[in-house]
Amino acid sequence: MIKRISIVGCGWLGLPLAQFLLAEGYRVLGSRRKLEELESLGHLGIEAYQLDLAPQLQSNNIAALLACDLLIINIPPGRKTNTADYHIAQITALLDAATEHGVKKILFISSTSVYGPQQGIIDEYTARHPTTSSGIALSHIEDKLFASRAYQASVLRFSGLLGGQRKPGRFLSGKTVSGAKSPVNVIHRQDCIALIGALIQRDIWGEQFNACSDLHPTKQEFYELAAEQLGLVAPTFTAGEVSNKRIDNHRIKAVLNYQFSYPDPMQWLIEHQQEAES
């Protein structure tokens, strides 16, 4: 039974996830890169430890951080060190430590970028063909996780992330953007957290899942409304090359019997705007 959960990466997603898991009755351990950041986690009831992957592992107490029933790895590839080799080295160092300290279950937060620019309906049976540095790194790490016999692992691939400080109206404001009719693949943070919670509760391992909202508005309609919501200049859209890539979420919904809180990104924008104005 899972009682102690360690979250490596208590940031935009990891911190509210930790709070959710605490509310569900789990004992939660978490990491931040700097020692001075640990006090804020402690005030929330999170057992906090310093951990930096540079890319070698540096920690004030890695044994305590990895004394857990489940390790959630939530460290996206960094922008300043945006090379596949660097991120692979970071996560490899962490996985080696997890193996050394006897971690038996790992949930890896990945991205649908592992599929690259492939077109059409993308599901878990679609071959991965990443073209970006981050996608290449994540795909390599996924393979490493599933190849290990030291622990059980599952991979959760999120599409574009929304919610909190991630305001889509800021992403493209004032820019000239091609592919006006291309579909948008996004997911709200609340659904990310709920899906992680459901996977833990069901104790599902050795699996890979894609996670994306049900509906896929066009890039133009979504980002025009998103900019309007924040009172920003809308992007200028050109026809350009149009993608028809749509991330399919049917498998995770079926396995977990899950219904998205935000199935329609356009409706989320409308409701968010109404809340801001009320």
Side-chain angles (χ1 to χ4, degrees):
M1 179 181 293
I2 294 174
K3 295 182 178 180
R4 293 167 56 93
I5 300 175
S6 290
I7 302 174
V8 172
C10 289
W12 177 85
L13 175 61
L15 183 57
L17 171 62
Q19 293 174 293
F20 169 83
L21 294 174
L22 282 170
E24 291 293 304
Y26 296 99
R27 184 174 173 183
V28 180
L29 301 79
S31 76
R32 296 296 293 267
R33 291 179 60 192
K34 299 178 181 179
L35 281 169
E36 57 267 27
E37 297 174 333
L38 301 186
E39 186 176 357
S40 61
L41 296 185
H43 288 323
L44 297 173
I46 302 166
E47 296 179 33
Y49 299 93
Q50 181 266 339
L51 173 64
D52 191 17
L53 300 170
Q56 69 280 5
L57 190 151
Q58 302 170 2
S59 174
N60 66 338
N61 195 339
I62 191 62
L65 177 62
L66 295 180
C68 59
D69 304 310
L70 167 64
L71 172 64
I72 300 177
I73 302 177
N74 175 46
I75 307 176
R79 294 182 180 180
K80 293 182 179 179
T81 54
N82 191 24
T83 68
D85 288 344
Y86 189 89
H87 191 58
I88 291 168
Q90 286 181 302
I91 304 304
T92 297
L94 179 58
L95 293 178
D96 288 346
T99 300
E100 179 184 347
H101 290 281
V103 174
K104 296 303 180 185
K105 294 179 180 179
I106 296 177
L107 176 60
F108 181 65
I109 305 303
S110 188
S111 164
T112 54
S113 65
V114 297
Y115 294 107
Q118 296 184 81
Q119 299 297 290
I121 303 300
I122 305 295
D123 63 19
E124 289 82 356
Y125 302 101
T126 303
R128 295 163 301 156
H129 294 295
T131 55
T132 63
S133 178
S134 60
I136 292 168
L138 293 172
S139 181
H140 180 95
I141 294 163
E142 290 181 5
D143 290 342
K144 187 177 183 68
L145 284 162
F146 288 127
S148 176
R149 296 184 179 181
Y151 42 74
Q152 295 176 293
S154 282
V155 168
L156 186 51
R157 303 184 186 111
F158 290 134
S159 291
L161 300 169
L162 304 176
Q165 295 304 309
R166 290 180 181 261
K167 309 284 188 182
R170 297 173 183 160
F171 297 170
L172 302 177
S173 176
K175 298 180 180 179
T176 299
V177 184
S178 63
K181 301 304 180 183
S182 299
V184 169
N185 297 288
V186 293
I187 183 171
H188 192 277
R189 181 171 62 182
Q190 183 172 317
D191 281 309
C192 295
I193 291 170
L195 286 167
I196 292 171
L199 281 171
I200 295 171
Q201 186 178 31
R202 297 291 186 92
D203 208 21
I204 296 175
W205 308 105
E207 295 286 354
Q208 52 188 317
F209 297 101
N210 297 336
C212 181
S213 297
D214 294 346
L215 302 183
H216 307 270
T218 68
K219 185 185 292 187
Q220 181 170 3
E221 61 185 352
F222 180 74
Y223 285 105
E224 281 184 347
L225 180 58
E228 177 186 331
Q229 168 193 346
L230 297 180
L232 299 175
V233 177
T236 299
F237 287 92
T238 61
E241 184 177 351
V242 177
S243 167
N244 69 342
K245 179 180 180 181
R246 288 174 170 81
I247 303 298
D248 184 278
N249 68 5
H250 284 87
R251 186 165 185 269
I252 196 167
K253 290 172 63 177
V255 171
L256 298 180
N257 191 26
Y258 183 80
Q259 296 298 317
F260 276 71
S261 297
Y262 296 100
D264 182 356
M266 293 295 288
Q267 187 62 35
W268 172 71
L269 284 176
I270 293 169
E271 292 175 357
H272 187 77
Q273 183 175 13
Q274 290 173 341
E275 290 172 2
E277 293 174 346
S278 62

